[in-house]
Amino acid sequence: MKIWCIVFAALLFNGCSTSVERVDTNTTIDLSGAWNDADSRMVAQEMIQDALSRPWISDFTGRTGQRPAVIVGTVRNLSHEHINVKTFVADMERELINSGRVDFVASRDERGEIRDERIDQDLNAREETRKAAGQELGADFMLTGQVNTIIDAEDNEQVRYYQVDLNLISMADNRKVWAGQKKIKKLVKNASIRY
């Protein structure tokens, strides 16, 4: 009898253990139907490719002879769920930088840290290696946007609709030079209602 209790306890313990499997980061795994890393990566790639294929970039380059300088401003999460907007913004920044079609300006937070370093260099670095203040590249365009959702649920099914709207705005005159939109619709079955 005692041996059966030990065997049963061992089986129960093994049945409750955690299993972890490493998978390729490009693999799409959609457990809950909520916004995930695959959505972020796909939307960023498609929207930035669309933005870079539009006339604003050739118009600017033709007029100035230079690549446009772009900065990502605020991207708001107006959805029903928590979305890590910083990850989405990082995906867009990577696409813009790696395109080689634009110069990219550091964010407000990054610039603050760099300016602090520049002040430190002014006091502590050798003169020939110091970086002077007042030499920063100003952005020509700012990318802003928002993520919205519509959730439709009945019993144990949900339709999760995501709409991402981005605008590229000229810093010189506030003209919107590009407006992009990406939509994702997911049917989630056997779902517990989550908002």
Side-chain angles (χ1 to χ4, degrees):
M1 181 70 173
K2 193 175 186 181
I3 191 82
W4 287 112
C5 289
I6 294 171
V7 170
F8 178 73
L11 290 173
L12 184 64
F13 179 73
N14 284 337
C16 296
S17 65
T18 301
S19 172
V20 176
E21 176 187 351
R22 298 218 185 273
V23 296
D24 187 286
T25 56
N26 292 321
T27 302
T28 300
I29 300 173
D30 212 338
L31 298 176
S32 66
W35 178 274
N36 60 32
D37 63 313
D39 297 324
S40 178
R41 187 174 53 251
M42 177 191 64
V43 171
Q45 287 172 347
E46 289 182 18
M47 293 191 84
I48 297 305
Q49 286 173 8
D50 181 64
L52 294 174
S53 71
R54 301 300 179 170
W56 69 272
I57 195 165
S58 57
D59 290 349
F60 182 86
T61 304
R63 190 172 64 253
T64 65
Q66 299 175 357
R67 294 186 303 198
V70 177
I71 187 169
V72 175
T74 302
V75 177
R76 290 180 301 227
N77 175 18
L78 302 178
S79 73
H80 293 82
E81 65 189 63
H82 171 74
I83 293 177
N84 187 339
V85 178
K86 288 185 177 185
T87 301
F88 179 52
V89 167
D91 287 339
M92 290 191 296
E93 289 178 347
R94 186 185 62 254
E95 293 296 319
L96 283 165
I97 292 167
N98 292 341
S99 75
R101 308 264 329 269
V102 300
D103 289 325
F104 198 82
V105 177
S107 71
R108 180 178 303 175
D109 292 341
E110 292 168 323
R111 288 194 311 262
E113 186 176 357
I114 293 165
R115 287 173 182 157
D116 289 345
E117 173 61 21
R118 204 175 285 125
I119 290 168
D120 186 68
Q121 282 188 11
D122 196 38
L123 296 172
N124 298 304
R126 293 190 320 265
E127 188 171 340
E128 66 273 11
T129 64
R130 283 185 204 140
K131 306 305 178 271
Q135 302 299 310
E136 296 178 19
L137 177 65
D140 300 303
F141 299 94
M142 179 179 280
L143 185 66
T144 63
Q146 59 190 29
V147 180
N148 290 286
T149 55
I150 298 173
I151 307 293
D152 186 19
E154 179 71 32
D155 295 328
N156 63 347
E157 290 188 347
Q158 290 181 5
V159 174
R160 302 177 80 85
Y161 171 82
Y162 297 88
Q163 181 172 309
V164 180
D165 293 292
L166 296 176
N167 294 296
L168 192 65
I169 302 167
S170 168
M171 297 291 290
D173 54 15
N174 290 335
R175 283 180 307 116
K176 288 185 180 181
V177 298
W178 173 77
Q181 186 177 81
K182 176 67 180 168
K183 300 173 183 179
I184 299 172
K185 190 179 238 182
K186 299 179 180 185
L187 174 62
V188 183
K189 296 185 179 184
N190 296 322
S192 58
I193 303 302
R194 293 178 43 173
Y195 292 101

